[in-house]
Amino acid sequence: MVKKALICLGDGFDELQAIAPIAMLRKLDCELLIATLGENRHVPIIGAERTRIMPDLSIESCHNEKWDAILLVAGELNVRECCKVLSNHFKFEIFDIIYTFMYYDK
């Protein structure tokens, strides 16, 4: 059975922490989709070192899917914003906990 994973990226993401898992999971034949925090999936996501990645979908459109894994990539605001959006769509307490720690710089 093919596993399905989502990687959430926003502008300022850390390229090394994003590209390595993307390459590894795709080599393992995992169905991996890249979600943008923005509303438009036709606009590239720009990393901290100006690497551009085209998303497959917006984060707003992925909440009806079943995911085996959701990857959060470090970056300037990436994890905080991902958790904020994900906690609105997925009822997992972990997103609320991570967002709270990031918000209060714990």
Side-chain angles (χ1 to χ4, degrees):
M1 183 169 142
V2 175
K3 298 293 184 183
K4 191 171 180 179
L6 178 72
I7 186 164
C8 306
L9 299 178
D11 288 338
F13 69 89
D14 184 299
E15 283 93 336
L16 290 176
Q17 292 186 25
I19 294 171
I22 289 170
M24 182 184 71
L25 289 169
R26 287 189 173 158
K27 283 181 184 178
L28 294 172
D29 292 326
C30 178
E31 182 183 343
L32 177 71
L33 295 177
I34 300 169
T36 179
L37 292 175
E39 294 177 10
N40 188 346
R41 71 176 188 88
H42 300 290
V43 175
I45 309 162
I46 301 171
E49 302 301 324
R50 299 190 190 121
T51 301
R52 295 173 178 261
I53 292 184
M54 288 302 293
D56 299 305
L57 67 164
S58 74
I59 195 129
E60 299 291 336
S61 66
C62 68
H63 64 277
N64 289 329
E65 300 285 330
K66 182 180 182 326
W67 304 99
D68 294 303
I70 298 175
L71 288 79
L72 304 177
V73 176
E76 190 173 323
L77 296 173
N78 198 58
V79 172
R80 182 185 304 166
E81 291 304 311
C82 282
C83 288
K84 182 177 169 183
V85 173
L86 290 170
S87 68
N88 291 333
H89 295 296
F90 299 97
K91 299 305 175 200
F92 297 124
E93 187 177 341
I94 189 64
F95 295 126
D96 294 326
I97 293 169
I98 295 170
Y99 177 75
T100 301
F101 275 99
M102 295 292 294
Y103 182 78
Y104 293 106
D105 293 323
K106 300 283 181 180

